[in-house]
Amino acid sequence: MTPAFIWSALPARVVFATGALERVPDEVARLEVHRLLVVAGGTATQDALDRLRAGLGDTCVGVVRTSTQHGPTGVADEAVRAARDAIADGVVTLGGGSVIGLGKTIVQSCDLPLMAVPTTYSGSEMTPIWGRTREGRKQTWTDVRVLPRTVVYDPELCLGMPPRLAAASGMNALAHCLEALWSAGANPITSVLAREGGCRLTEGLPRVTANPDDLASHAGNLVGACLAGAALAQAGTAVHHRTCHVLGGGWNLPHAETHAVVLPHSTALVSALAPDAMGEVRRLLDADDPPAAVFSLLTRLKLPPSLAAIGMPEDGLDEAARRVVEACRNDAIAPDESAVRRMLDDAFFGAAPQPGVRVVARTRR
Ligand code: NAD
């Protein structure tokens, strides 16, 4: 028997095509925006930025460059000031999740329409979730006003993406899919989006990391990221995302890689605490043992295997565990401190996930 659920579609327009960057000026006109602030990522997007500016002409009244993660307050305040100084009436982002995040902060403060042109698989472009980090605490909120009105996906922008970036941002999107299957807001519609998105990502990520110029696989992964973001936006976050926000905000760890390292272990935690949710996860992964399957994908993608390898200090694990428990205390999946500590331990040492079994002796990987 299907439990009762509520579905309300989010108002996003998605334009997906090879070469779609050229369509941005038409999409901007459709939004009736005349003074556009462009927020763009690091040097990797310079060529695309030049083409975008040429297409926009006088409609572009300013450019903000950034690649800072986790939305630190100072960077966000400066970007909001830039939008006000330029008297912008709209914002377009060209880049990964960090750039989209900054765009969301600007439109939230200035009440402007946002357009996103993603260059990674973060999936942020499809969510109304935005965040800020203040004094080592990352806070996120949901506000439909930050949801991009239009998302323009151009798979050509992903050509040549460094394998580590592709793998990590793709695992971040896969984390959206898995969390959307076990979070409290999961329903039959979000589960279809999550399963299809996850299947595309598990298929396409090994391909683009082996061949960064595989256009068809980048396209498949972008569709996967789009579905992942749409699923998470509706189903909501739970213990996996809360854990990564605690770690990323508190110890300034790289966002996508943190998701990738934690995912096998959060999957193990959820499989112990909410085994009923695992049926859908098994279907997505086509595997009997979801934590092992996610761990094997992490290894296959040659991502760092442990929190230790991405800069987490071991003496921060106790505090991190306390903060995760606190962050989850009102959730359907509300683990106790010992369960969270074990998950963090396994993630810290890069141990193979073992639900319900305490791993005693480990060596750091
Ligand atoms: P990122 O945006 O931080 O980009 C990482 C690096 O890759 C940057 O130096 C960037 O310039 C570079 N880059 C981007 N695209 C490239 C390309 N095609 N080729 C080569 N280099 C490229 O990384 P990310 O993983 O996309 O995003 C992480 C951020 O997104 C975090 O701040 C996180 O909080 C946020 N996020 C938010 C949501 C949400 O729903 N709000 C969801 C996922 C991620």
Side-chain angles (χ1 to χ4, degrees):
M1 172 77 178
T2 303
F5 69 92
I6 294 173
W7 160 260
S8 58
L10 289 168
R13 173 179 164 91
V14 172
V15 176
F16 189 105
T18 302
L21 184 67
E22 286 179 12
R23 296 200 197 174
V24 170
D26 285 347
E27 291 298 325
V28 168
R30 207 173 171 277
L31 290 177
E32 297 182 2
V33 165
H34 306 289
R35 299 182 58 80
L36 194 67
L37 182 74
V38 175
V39 183
T43 49
T45 45
Q46 185 61 50
D47 169 59
L49 175 61
D50 291 344
R51 286 190 286 135
L52 179 63
R53 287 180 75 174
L56 290 170
D58 293 344
T59 313
C60 174
V61 293
V63 177
V64 171
R65 303 297 308 262
T66 183
S67 53
T68 316
Q69 295 202 332
H70 306 303
T73 306
V75 175
D77 290 346
E78 229 174 88
V80 168
R81 223 174 2 255
R84 292 202 170 119
D85 289 350
I87 324 176
D89 63 359
V91 177
V92 62
T93 63
L94 174 67
S98 298
V99 173
I100 297 167
L102 197 56
K104 287 177 172 180
T105 302
I106 299 170
V107 302
Q108 205 276 337
S109 293
C110 303
D111 201 13
L112 302 175
L114 178 64
M115 178 181 298
V117 185
T119 62
T120 69
Y121 309 140
S122 83
S124 175
E125 65 279 0
M126 294 301 293
T127 82
I129 303 166
W130 70 288
R132 265 197 177 196
T133 301
R134 212 186 295 258
E135 291 165 6
R137 303 258 178 169
K138 181 168 179 173
Q139 252 192 302
T140 60
W141 299 272
T142 297
D143 181 345
V144 78
R145 288 177 307 161
V146 309
L147 182 74
R149 300 263 189 95
T150 311
V151 181
V152 177
Y153 286 107
D154 181 349
E156 280 183 349
L157 298 176
C158 294
L159 286 176
M161 203 195 300
R164 185 161 164 168
L165 175 63
S169 71
M171 287 293 280
N172 187 187
L174 180 63
H176 301 339
C177 296
L178 298 194
E179 187 110 298
L181 290 176
W182 64 55
S183 72
N187 64 56
I189 302 175
T190 53
S191 294
V192 168
L193 300 175
R195 277 203 317 272
E196 177 62 22
C199 286
R200 285 177 185 258
L201 291 160
T202 52
E203 194 182 305
L205 291 178
R207 292 191 183 156
V208 295
T209 50
N211 175 11
D213 290 325
D214 180 344
L215 186 64
S217 296
H218 281 302
N221 290 337
L222 279 178
V223 173
C226 172
L227 294 168
L232 187 76
Q234 293 281 345
T237 53
V239 61
H240 171 82
H241 280 71
R242 298 203 202 297
T243 301
C244 294
H245 289 171
V246 163
L247 295 169
W251 287 269
N252 199 27
L253 305 187
H255 176 89
E257 288 167 3
T258 305
H259 274 272
V261 169
V262 170
L263 191 58
H265 309 287
S266 56
T267 307
L269 180 89
V270 173
S271 69
L273 296 182
D276 290 353
M278 280 298 127
E280 293 279 15
V281 178
R282 280 191 204 94
R283 280 177 69 192
L284 185 164
L285 296 167
D286 193 20
D288 289 336
D289 184 345
V294 179
F295 191 68
S296 148
L297 182 62
L298 176 78
T299 310
R300 192 169 163 208
L301 295 176
K302 300 191 174 64
L303 282 165
S306 64
L307 290 176
I310 58 171
M312 181 69 194
E314 190 169 3
D315 63 8
L317 294 177
D318 283 337
E319 175 59 18
R322 275 193 290 277
R323 289 190 196 180
V324 171
V325 170
E326 170 66 14
C328 297
R329 76 177 192 287
N330 296 322
D331 290 353
I333 301 172
D336 65 21
E337 203 169 311
S338 68
V340 172
R341 190 62 171 81
R342 193 174 71 215
M343 170 182 72
L344 292 178
D345 256 12
D346 287 347
F348 181 80
F349 289 102
Q354 302 186 45
V357 179
R358 175 84 202 164
V359 180
V360 181
R362 300 186 187 83
T363 49
R364 187 183 292 197
R365 292 171 66 193

